[in-house]
Amino acid sequence: MVPRSVLGYCIMGNKVLLFLFFLGLFSSCETPPKVSASATEEIAKQVLDDHSYSNISRVRTTHLDLELDVDFVNRKIYGVARHSLKNLGTDTVIFDIKGLDIKKITYERKGKEYETDFVIGNMDKDSILGQPLIVRIEKNTDRVSIYYETTSESEALDWLAPQQTSSGKSPFLYTQGQAILGRTWIPLQDSPSNRLTYSAKVKVPSGMMALMSAENPKKISEDGTYNFTMSQPIPSYLIALAVGKIAYHPYSKKCGVYAETELLNKAAYELVDLPRMIHAAEKIYGAYRWGRYDVLLLPYSFPFGGMENPKLTFLNPTIITGDRSLVSVLAHELAHSWSGNLVTNRTWDDFWLNEGFTVYFEHRIMEELYGKDMSEILATIEFQELQDEMTRINHSEHPQDTRLKLDLTGRNPDDGMTQIAYVKGAFFLKTLEATYGRRKFDAFLNSYFKKFAFKSIRTEDFLAYLNEKLILPNKKIEFNPDEWIFEKGLPKNCFKIENNRLQKMIDLANQFASGVDIFKKKRRVIKIKRRRKVIVEQLERNDHITQEWQTFIRALPQNLGERAMQRIDSQLQFSTCGNSELMAEWFVLGIKNNYKAQLPEIEHFLKKVGRRKFLVPIYRELLKKSDLNEFTISVFDASSPNLHAVSRKTIEKMVSKIRSSEIQATKTDQ
């Protein structure tokens, strides 16, 4: 192994000040690696991305060739990452790493590998960015190979024991790279500003299938070896891997669904409209440019509703309800094939470029397939969530985060993954559409996707193009995009939606709150072939779709009372309905109303589901109840090992406040 020195540094604004000093204990015959002195300059010049150490302005990866051996026994990936570089004449290349054990690094000269020196820096103060891996190369080096192992600190990896999977018999592994976790399982230049192609050879235990965000197999390989190719350039966070007992169901020559065998039939039924969604998307914004579009249903620990890994969207099984009421998540991830994957945010400050466009496009796909009414219902539900998020942010330590263009310097880019990027971004585009008309706005977006295809751009690039192609050619129309992007809150010209179906649910909730028995049986007489028939009707959950019931729950008083909660639950069974969207809404309201009869269901839910969207509001309300502290901490401690690092760290931070106060109280008592 090449001896290493240790790198100390601090981050100040957009500048990185580098101090090299050696702390390693070397024998008298060893000398520290002679990394070029220009390393200091290289890092100091790197201001393209506050969340990456990589010096992509001087040398960048254009193609990554991976050799991966997946070991479930030791929960490790043994890997070689071979980087093909575009080198502008530097003798230093810097990669991002976190939680990796680097064994050796080589560079090629005349087709032969030569071991080279490298330096690994200290972890950043908050352990967010990880460490810079500084490698000495020659000024004409165009290929570097990094030999490494993952560790228990590789946060992108979720190793699931058999009991955490649907089969209960076979383990499962998946990765989650967004935003900056790609560096925790592959040493790379982990910035969305750099796009690369990749190939991979993956070895897994016999009888298991490996899938990646690339061209994928349809059958299990007998020897456990799989080869992958991603020929379109993508940002590093979209490199993804999943390994498990997986089967495939095709819908057409262009798309299909993967899932654990036990869930495959349910998944195939729920997502059957996928071919229609692809057709609708192409009709609106042009050809799908990634070849196949398949989806993979992951285990319940997956921290998000979906992840748009190109060619292979990852989905959370919480969208499987049996009534196809939550397939807008699938429409959202498909839309990312244009916004986010085809045109990508250059930095995480520009995250709204990925998600605002995608939510807007998702609504257009849903409108095309299921009608304008359905699209408006989805948008209204999300707008309610946006308003709640804005209230929380306005009372947080970062009230400026209600702007679309963020400044996340020195912060975790996950802080920017809020409803601001998603829904405020979408309503900005809806307002543009309402102002300039759908025909002109669609023409603009079609040209936008073509202009910036396979590129990573900044908010300022979008603004310049918007002004050039839409705002300036229509000078008679006054529109100020800057107030949407650079100012806090929602502008006065924000597009408004009113939906009669949701208003009826609000009225229904108000009736119940005022004492009306909305569950009272009603008799109705109908005529059938000269005969009269009496029908007895009673309000049931199947009478309305998920989003209508969400509106009903949200419209109920926050101090409804335990008895009223029990009355609704006995009739509509929200606590046990199996629909995660409804259960999460209902649990939050129940906690507020001290409806403790549902605590067993809450405990079961929190131990099963790892989707952060549901966990955060439930834990937030639980933590407000001091009499439930013991219950809350006990449930989290029991479920924590089953959570992906993204969700676990978020909830851990919330629970830690209670732990700290309890420790302080104990000290005071002593």
Side-chain angles (χ1 to χ4, degrees):
M1 183 185 299
V2 178
R4 308 171 204 170
S5 63
V6 180
L7 180 70
Y9 55 86
C10 60
I11 301 176
M12 299 178 62
N14 286 329
K15 297 181 180 178
V16 179
L17 305 179
L18 178 68
F19 307 97
L20 288 173
F21 61 95
F22 299 107
L23 298 179
L25 296 177
F26 299 101
S27 63
S28 59
C29 63
E30 290 182 321
T31 58
K34 297 178 182 178
V35 175
S36 169
S38 64
T40 303
E41 295 179 17
E42 289 295 343
I43 291 186
K45 290 177 183 176
Q46 177 52 38
V47 295
L48 294 181
D49 188 342
D50 288 325
H51 295 102
S52 172
Y53 297 110
S54 57
N55 56 337
I56 54 178
S57 61
R58 298 294 299 154
V59 54
R60 67 179 185 87
T61 303
T62 58
H63 179 80
L64 179 63
D65 186 30
L66 295 169
E67 299 169 19
L68 306 174
D69 189 346
V70 179
D71 181 353
F72 277 94
V73 175
N74 295 304
R75 293 194 165 192
K76 284 188 175 185
I77 293 178
Y78 304 93
V80 184
R82 302 189 186 277
H83 293 262
S84 296
L85 305 172
K86 182 178 181 181
N87 187 351
L88 299 181
T90 182
D91 59 5
T92 305
V93 57
I94 305 169
F95 301 96
D96 297 297
I97 61 170
K98 185 181 180 184
L100 296 179
D101 184 4
I102 306 300
K103 297 300 185 183
K104 72 173 183 178
I105 301 178
T106 66
Y107 69 97
E108 288 191 11
R109 183 196 299 156
K110 296 181 179 179
K112 293 184 179 180
E113 285 190 57
Y114 295 87
E115 201 161 333
T116 188
D117 300 328
F118 62 92
V119 169
I120 296 178
N122 289 336
M123 190 73 70
D124 62 292
K125 185 180 70 171
D126 297 316
S127 302
I128 294 172
L129 304 184
Q131 301 162 283
L133 172 60
I134 304 176
V135 181
R136 187 183 68 181
I137 58 176
E138 296 180 348
K139 292 188 176 182
N140 60 353
T141 298
D142 61 5
R143 189 169 172 88
V144 166
S145 297
I146 305 173
Y147 294 74
Y148 71 99
E149 295 176 10
T150 62
T151 71
S152 60
E153 301 302 313
S154 297
E155 296 171 350
L157 304 179
D158 199 6
W159 299 93
L160 301 178
Q163 61 268 27
Q164 296 172 260
T165 66
S166 297
S167 70
K169 299 176 182 178
S170 300
F172 203 102
L173 166 68
Y174 67 85
T175 66
Q176 173 54 40
Q178 194 182 47
I180 56 171
L181 296 184
R183 67 194 66 181
T184 73
W185 75 287
I186 305 171
L188 39 67
Q189 296 177 308
D190 196 15
S191 170
S193 60
N194 185 44
R195 304 179 73 102
L196 67 156
T197 57
Y198 81 88
S199 54
K201 181 178 181 180
V202 181
K203 177 69 177 176
V204 303
S206 178
M208 303 188 82
M209 181 181 284
L211 302 171
M212 294 193 77
S213 50
E215 298 292 336
N216 278 298
K218 301 298 178 285
K219 296 180 180 179
I220 291 177
S221 167
E222 291 184 5
D223 66 355
T225 301
Y226 297 87
N227 292 284
F228 302 92
T229 301
M230 167 51 76
S231 55
Q232 293 97 333
I234 62 172
S236 56
Y237 72 86
L238 291 177
I239 302 174
L241 170 69
V243 181
K245 285 289 182 70
I246 300 168
Y248 183 69
H249 175 86
Y251 289 126
S252 69
K253 293 181 179 180
K254 295 179 66 174
C255 65
V257 57
Y258 293 91
E260 292 181 86
T261 305
E262 293 74 17
L263 287 178
L264 185 61
N265 289 338
K266 288 182 179 180
Y269 171 82
E270 199 83 12
L271 308 177
V272 70
D273 280 343
L274 177 56
R276 294 178 60 215
M277 286 186 178
I278 295 173
H279 178 73
E282 291 185 316
K283 178 181 175 183
I284 300 170
Y285 293 130
Y288 174 80
R289 300 180 64 174
W290 301 89
R292 290 191 61 82
Y293 182 81
D294 292 316
V295 299
L296 167 63
L297 199 70
L298 289 176
Y300 280 93
S301 68
F302 186 51
F304 303 120
M307 181 62 208
E308 64 271 17
N309 303 310
K311 297 181 185 287
L312 186 70
T313 279
F314 285 5
L315 289 177
N316 193 300
T318 55
I319 74 165
I320 306 299
T321 60
D323 62 2
R324 299 171 181 158
S325 63
L326 301 180
V327 294
S328 62
V329 173
L330 179 58
H332 180 93
E333 303 309 328
L334 171 63
H336 267 303
S337 301
W338 286 261
S339 51
N341 294 4
L342 191 64
V343 183
T344 307
N345 50 227
R346 184 172 173 180
T347 75
W348 298 111
D349 291 347
D350 306 296
F351 184 59
W352 81 274
L353 288 175
N354 278 21
E355 296 298 347
F357 280 75
T358 299
V359 172
Y360 171 82
F361 194 2
E362 166 202 337
H363 292 167
R364 293 292 302 276
I365 293 172
M366 295 299 288
E367 178 183 333
E368 188 74 21
L369 263 63
Y370 308 112
K372 188 175 182 180
D373 196 38
M374 187 65 220
S375 176
E376 288 182 346
I377 286 174
L378 291 169
T380 303
I381 287 290
E382 291 166 349
F383 192 76
Q384 292 170 358
E385 294 166 359
L386 170 65
Q387 291 174 309
D388 289 342
E389 186 101 76
M390 280 189 165
T391 300
R392 281 193 293 273
I393 292 174
N394 284 331
H395 291 88
S396 74
E397 60 181 310
H398 298 289
Q400 71 276 12
D401 284 357
T402 60
R403 300 177 303 189
L404 287 179
K405 175 73 175 186
L406 298 174
D407 180 3
L408 297 171
T409 304
R411 297 170 61 191
N412 193 321
D414 278 5
D415 290 355
M417 295 183 179
T418 70
Q419 295 296 333
I420 306 302
Y422 288 76
V423 185
K424 181 181 177 181
F427 271 78
F428 170 35
L429 301 182
K430 287 177 182 291
T431 305
L432 282 168
E433 179 199 314
T435 302
Y436 292 96
R438 176 167 287 189
R439 184 179 61 81
K440 287 183 179 179
F441 191 59
D442 276 354
F444 165 74
L445 284 185
N446 270 284
S447 67
Y448 167 78
F449 289 132
K450 290 177 182 177
K451 167 75 173 178
F452 297 108
F454 300 108
K455 294 179 181 177
S456 298
I457 67 170
R458 303 169 303 159
T459 296
E460 290 77 10
D461 299 321
F462 163 75
L463 268 179
Y465 195 70
L466 176 70
N467 280 308
E468 177 189 349
K469 297 296 182 180
L470 190 64
I471 293 180
L472 290 178
N474 298 278
K475 292 181 179 179
K476 293 181 180 179
I477 300 175
E478 291 187 11
F479 193 96
N480 179 15
D482 287 1
E483 64 178 340
W484 276 91
I485 291 171
F486 301 112
E487 295 180 16
K488 295 185 291 184
L490 285 172
K492 293 180 180 179
N493 67 342
C494 181
F495 180 69
K496 292 179 176 59
I497 298 175
E498 294 182 1
N499 186 272
N500 291 332
R501 286 170 60 181
L502 296 188
Q503 185 57 50
K504 288 179 180 178
M505 300 306 290
I506 294 172
D507 295 341
L508 190 67
N510 290 337
Q511 289 173 33
F512 181 83
S514 65
V516 176
D517 185 0
I518 62 174
F519 301 115
K520 184 178 180 180
K521 292 181 180 180
K522 299 177 182 178
R523 295 177 179 272
R524 186 162 61 91
V525 179
I526 61 172
K527 291 183 179 180
I528 304 177
K529 295 182 179 180
R530 299 181 182 178
R531 293 167 52 190
R532 300 175 67 193
K533 184 176 180 180
V534 177
I535 297 178
V536 178
E537 296 178 328
Q538 187 177 27
L539 182 64
E540 296 180 355
R541 199 176 68 247
N542 291 337
D543 293 340
H544 299 283
I545 64 173
T546 298
Q547 293 76 16
E548 289 174 312
W549 284 123
Q550 283 180 287
T551 302
F552 171 79
I553 295 171
R554 292 174 183 180
L556 290 169
Q558 301 297 292
N559 59 345
L560 190 60
E562 186 175 3
R563 183 175 296 180
M565 293 287 297
Q566 196 166 23
R567 173 70 173 123
I568 296 173
D569 215 7
S570 65
Q571 185 64 36
L572 300 175
Q573 296 88 41
F574 286 142
S575 292
T576 57
C577 67
N579 184 314
S580 296
E581 291 282 355
L582 292 181
M583 292 169 76
E585 297 269 3
W586 184 245
F587 290 155
V588 168
L589 184 63
I591 296 165
K592 291 178 178 179
N593 282 276
N594 296 311
Y595 180 38
K596 293 185 178 180
Q598 68 177 359
L599 286 180
E601 282 77 23
I602 292 177
E603 180 175 1
H604 178 74
F605 185 87
L606 294 177
K607 288 181 176 179
K608 177 183 180 181
V609 175
R611 191 172 168 186
R612 189 168 62 174
K613 172 187 178 182
F614 301 140
L615 300 185
V616 169
I618 294 174
Y619 273 105
R620 183 185 292 126
E621 291 307 318
L622 283 173
L623 290 168
K624 292 177 183 178
K625 302 287 185 178
S626 58
D627 60 323
L628 293 178
N629 282 356
E630 185 177 344
F631 169 83
T632 304
I633 292 174
S634 172
V635 170
F636 174 68
D637 287 344
S639 61
S640 178
N642 301 332
L643 298 176
H644 186 277
V646 167
S647 293
R648 184 176 63 252
K649 289 200 165 189
T650 299
I651 307 304
E652 205 165 47
K653 186 176 180 181
M654 297 169 67
V655 172
S656 66
K657 297 177 182 179
I658 299 298
R659 290 195 200 276
S660 299
S661 62
E662 288 187 346
I663 292 172
Q664 187 60 42
T666 301
K667 288 181 178 179
T668 303
D669 292 340
Q670 293 174 346

